[in-house]
Amino acid sequence: MNKFNYSITISAKTEAEAIEKMKALTILASKLTSKELTKLAHTVEHDPIKTAMAKAYLGV
């Protein structure tokens, strides 16, 4: 599989939080397909009920 480098900007209260977000995003990108990531992003953006349920399940 090819690797591609990108420069992105992440909003966070601290640099440590931004690094944590980047690590989490990297794991998601490596474990999910582009189709799965797209559906996940769509759900988070457009379905607050499912997003709230997922957060409750995760305990956050």
Side-chain angles (χ1 to χ4, degrees):
M1 184 177 296
N2 295 330
K3 292 185 179 185
F4 301 92
N5 293 316
Y6 292 92
S7 178
I8 66 168
T9 302
I10 296 177
S11 297
K13 292 181 182 178
T14 64
E15 185 175 4
E17 182 184 358
I19 290 169
E20 215 172 308
K21 285 182 172 184
M22 195 62 232
K23 286 179 183 177
L25 290 169
T26 301
I27 291 169
L28 290 173
S30 69
K31 301 291 183 178
L32 299 175
T33 66
S34 60
K35 183 177 181 179
E36 292 166 339
L37 278 171
T38 300
K39 291 219 176 233
L40 177 60
H42 180 19
T43 299
V44 170
E45 189 172 29
H46 298 288
D47 196 336
I49 294 172
K50 285 182 184 173
T51 302
M53 289 172 56
K55 286 180 178 182
Y57 176 78
L58 296 170
V60 294

